[in-house]
């Protein structure tokens, strides 16, 4: 990892490398923790990018609005398509949760390439189909 920000003993070091921080007297454990935090921030941004690539903010709003309208109906009055939309919306929420929960795991290992699709939970086919409707 390149430069990062770190605070130690009440002093802030901005845009420091690990070598610079060590030379400034910052302990290695503190540097490691700061690098892990910076990596987690970067991974969370990657996660957000991947989620929005599947479903933009507008798509998510439209899905939520449709699901809310359907959920307001009596179960017996819902069509098969409406029931599928609700099930697929739940799957979408579960996938987003799985994506977000993957971030801390990916931050633990600096050798993991979090930019690879294989590092992330696969988007379920019913979620893909749902997002394509909106």
């Amino acid at each position: 990892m390149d430069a990062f920000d770190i605070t130690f003993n009440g002093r802030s070091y901005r845009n420091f490398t690990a070598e610079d921080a060590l030379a400034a007297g910052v302990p290695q454990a503190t540097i490691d923790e700061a690098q892990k935090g910076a990596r987690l921030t970067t991974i969370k941004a990657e996660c957000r990018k991947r989620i929005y690539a599947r479903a933009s903010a507008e798509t998510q709003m439209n899905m939520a609005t449709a699901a809310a309208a359907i959920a307001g109906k009596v179960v017996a009055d819902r069509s098969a398509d409406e029931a599928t939309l609700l099930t697929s919306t739940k799957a979408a929420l579960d996938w987003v949760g799985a994506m977000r929960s993957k971030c801390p795991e990916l931050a633990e290992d600096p050798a993991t390439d979090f930019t690879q699709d294989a590092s992330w939970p696969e988007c379920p086919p019913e979620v893909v189909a749902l997002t394509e409707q909106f």
Side-chain angles (χ1 to χ4, degrees), residues 39-53:
R39 180 173 168 77
L40 180 58
T41 298
T42 302
I43 290 169
K44 284 180 175 181
E46 177 71 15
C47 179
R48 186 172 26 265
K49 179 186 88 169
R50 288 170 174 273
I51 291 168
Y52 281 119

Side-chain angles (χ1 to χ4, degrees), residues 7-20:
T7 300
F8 177 69
N9 279 346
R11 296 187 70 183
S12 294
Y13 303 87
R14 301 289 176 229
N15 205 27
F16 265 56
T17 65
E19 294 77 22
D20 293 338

